[in-house]
Amino acid sequence: MYELFIGDRLFSSWSMRGWLMLRKFDLPHQCQMVGLYSGTMAHDMKELAPAKLVPALRTPQHVVIGESLAMAETLAEENPNADMWPTDPAARATARWLCAEMVSGFGALRGECPMQLRHVWDGFTVSSAVQKDLDRVAELWAHARKFRDEGTDGLFGRYSLADVFYTPVAARVIGYDLPVSEEDRAYCLALLADPIVQEWRQEALTVAYDPMPYDLDLPHRDWPV
């Protein structure tokens, strides 16, 4: 059984990615919570050194893996029947590219729109830097759709690790009501409507915070269901 170490579900986008890799592809696992906002993170992760960020994975062979992309590649390699990447070689290479760019890029989108799964902010001001990131996301998603299988809803057709990596982007787009095309908004809503993503969010909402991280002085409305 895999052991996954995660931070607070309401805000930790990288933890969500790690969990979705395991949960969506039905890989046996258990979760260990790390005190991301309680100040116990360093202590909680001491046994995983030199890994120091969430998520972190410990394999059944007791190998510790930090960094989400390394986790994704390891899980796909160890579980070939799970079909975590697209089967078509060109689509698979492109999916890896999109995941790698997600890991290394979109700093403004991540920094100015931290993931929160509580509600939808109204009136959020989109900076030029965030808009540039949104334009790049739209460009990458349009490119990915050239490889899409017929009649399926994932970015490349069948659900893959690319959808895992972009689910927190979808949460940002919807949570801050960011300007995207109707096609991209529909994709974001479909990712968030997934019962497994809803399961993550419902668990996240059971935790109370005072003060609430990333709060804004803006009106808000209900999260879409």
Side-chain angles (χ1 to χ4, degrees):
M1 181 175 291
Y2 293 99
E3 287 183 89
L4 181 68
F5 293 78
I6 61 172
D8 299 61
R9 288 178 173 88
L10 202 59
F11 310 107
S12 182
S13 57
W14 293 108
S15 295
M16 175 189 267
R17 289 184 179 95
W19 184 78
L20 285 173
M21 293 178 204
L22 295 157
R23 185 72 176 82
K24 281 292 294 183
F25 294 97
D26 225 9
L27 304 181
H29 66 279
Q30 59 184 15
C31 286
Q32 305 286 347
M33 293 300 299
V34 169
L36 193 58
Y37 291 92
S38 64
T40 64
M41 184 172 179
H43 176 269
D44 295 343
M45 297 194 68
K46 190 175 181 180
E47 64 180 288
L48 303 173
K52 62 179 183 179
L53 299 174
V54 290
L57 183 73
R58 185 154 54 199
T59 73
Q61 296 76 34
H62 304 289
V63 176
V64 173
I65 305 166
E67 298 297 335
S68 298
L69 198 54
M71 290 169 49
E73 290 287 11
T74 301
L75 290 171
E77 182 181 72
E78 292 186 351
N79 301 276
N81 293 332
D83 292 327
M84 300 177 78
W85 290 115
T87 54
D88 175 74
R92 185 164 62 250
T94 305
R96 284 190 166 108
W97 163 19
L98 263 64
C99 290
E101 187 157 340
M102 177 65 253
V103 170
S104 63
F106 311 115
L109 178 61
R110 297 209 308 258
E112 296 182 38
C113 305
M115 190 183 81
Q116 58 82 31
L117 304 175
R118 293 181 296 154
H119 44 235
V120 178
W121 293 113
D122 280 326
F124 178 79
T125 300
V126 178
S127 71
S128 59
V130 168
Q131 186 61 58
K132 185 177 179 180
D133 280 351
L134 291 172
D135 292 343
R136 179 58 177 168
V137 169
E139 182 179 25
L140 291 174
W141 287 1
H143 181 64
R145 291 186 182 110
K146 297 175 184 177
F147 302 91
R148 179 185 282 177
D149 297 333
E150 291 295 329
T152 50
D153 298 325
L155 200 52
F156 288 87
R158 179 180 51 80
Y159 190 94
S160 75
L161 285 166
D163 302 296
V164 166
F165 273 75
Y166 281 90
T167 295
V169 174
R172 289 174 163 93
V173 168
I174 299 305
Y176 291 82
D177 197 19
L178 301 178
V180 296
S181 70
E182 287 303 312
E183 183 176 23
D184 286 349
R185 184 170 296 277
Y187 170 62
C188 291
L189 288 169
L191 287 180
L192 299 179
D194 186 303
I196 289 176
V197 175
Q198 290 289 323
E199 176 187 326
W200 172 273
R201 180 173 180 266
Q202 290 305 315
E203 183 67 23
L205 293 173
T206 64
V207 181
Y209 296 89
D210 186 19
M212 180 65 71
Y214 313 123
D215 214 10
L216 297 176
D217 186 20
L218 288 174
H220 58 79
R221 50 194 153 90
D222 290 342
W223 191 261
V225 294

